[in-house]
């Protein structure tokens, strides 16, 4: 951290405390050259996740779109809203923790299907039928056969 008084690049932290409900950290520093004190604030840098769609267009990740898609798949199924919220949180955390700032919609769909498979198989098949755009009954039956073979 550069001293605002003399421009020296080394300083030591005298005091450190959280502010704004833990969103920022206030640090009191002392310059190693001129011994003057100054305050700095540290915040978490949030880098948006960019989704690359099937048509190659890009847009910022929108958790409400994912939530709504899962909600439609779970309609009239015994899946709570809290469970859907947890699934969306887990997927978003997975995306944030990956080193990639750009992710394909295909990857997000696969993550959603993996989560739904463990929660509700009917919701999984519903989501997969829209996501994978089943063209006919045979591709639908192939997906069901895969699901049944994994279960055994």
């Amino acid at each position: 951290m550069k001293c605002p008084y003399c421009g020296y690049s080394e300083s030591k932290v005298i005091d450190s405390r959280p502010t704004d409900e833990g969103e920022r950290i206030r640090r009191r520093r002392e310059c190693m050259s001129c011994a003057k004190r100054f305050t700095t604030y540290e915040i978490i840098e949030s880098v948006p996740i960019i989704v690359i769609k099937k048509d190659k267009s890009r847009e910022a990740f929108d958790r409400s779109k994912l939530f709504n898609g899962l909600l439609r798949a779970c309609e009239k199924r015994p899946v709570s809203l809290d469970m859907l919220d947890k699934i969306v949180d887990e997927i978003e955390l997975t995306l944030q923790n990956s080193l990639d700032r750009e992710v394909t919609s295909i990857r997000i769909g696969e993550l959603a299907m993996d989560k739904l498979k463990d929660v509700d198989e009917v919701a999984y098949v519903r989501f997969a039928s829209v996501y994978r755009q089943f063209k006919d009954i045979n591709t639908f039956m192939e997906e069901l056969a895969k699901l049944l073979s994994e279960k055994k």
Side-chain angles (χ1 to χ4, degrees), residues 15-33:
D15 182 39
S16 186
R17 64 179 68 164
T19 62
D20 300 335
E21 292 87 37
E23 295 292 318
R24 297 191 297 171
I25 295 177
R26 178 185 182 272
R27 296 199 193 278
R28 196 72 184 134
R29 297 177 177 270
E30 184 177 298
C31 177
M32 301 295 280
S33 176

Side-chain angles (χ1 to χ4, degrees), residues 21-139:
E21 292 87 37
E23 295 292 318
R24 297 191 297 171
I25 295 177
R26 178 185 182 272
R27 296 199 193 278
R28 196 72 184 134
R29 297 177 177 270
E30 184 177 298
C31 177
M32 301 295 280
S33 176
C34 69
K36 289 190 178 182
R37 292 184 176 187
F38 57 99
T39 303
T40 60
Y41 290 91
E42 209 174 277
I43 60 169
I44 294 174
E45 180 182 27
S46 65
V47 179
I49 298 167
I50 303 299
V51 178
I52 304 169
K53 298 169 71 172
K54 289 178 184 173
D55 66 357
K56 303 295 183 216
S57 65
R58 287 169 161 73
E59 66 179 45
F61 174 75
D62 184 358
R63 64 177 282 125
S64 65
K65 282 186 175 183
L66 178 58
F67 183 84
N68 289 334
L70 294 172
L71 186 62
R72 272 183 256 124
C74 294
E75 198 170 302
K76 296 184 182 179
R77 298 296 305 157
V79 180
S80 69
L81 290 177
D82 287 340
M83 177 56 77
L84 292 179
D85 221 16
K86 182 181 173 201
I87 290 171
V88 173
D89 287 344
E90 289 173 1
I91 292 171
E92 188 173 20
L93 185 63
T94 300
L95 297 174
Q96 288 285 352
N97 289 339
S98 76
L99 297 177
D100 299 326
R101 290 296 108 206
E102 291 188 337
V103 63
T104 62
S105 59
I106 295 167
R107 173 87 174 113
I108 295 170
E110 294 294 332
L111 290 169
M113 287 193 306
D114 287 345
K115 300 288 183 189
L116 276 178
K117 192 183 293 185
D118 298 333
V119 173
D120 188 283
E121 291 173 341
V122 172
Y124 163 77
V125 172
R126 285 178 179 173
F127 190 89
S129 69
V130 172
Y131 172 71
R132 292 205 173 126
Q133 298 175 339
F134 293 156
K135 301 286 185 250
D136 55 26
I137 193 74
N138 292 329
T139 49

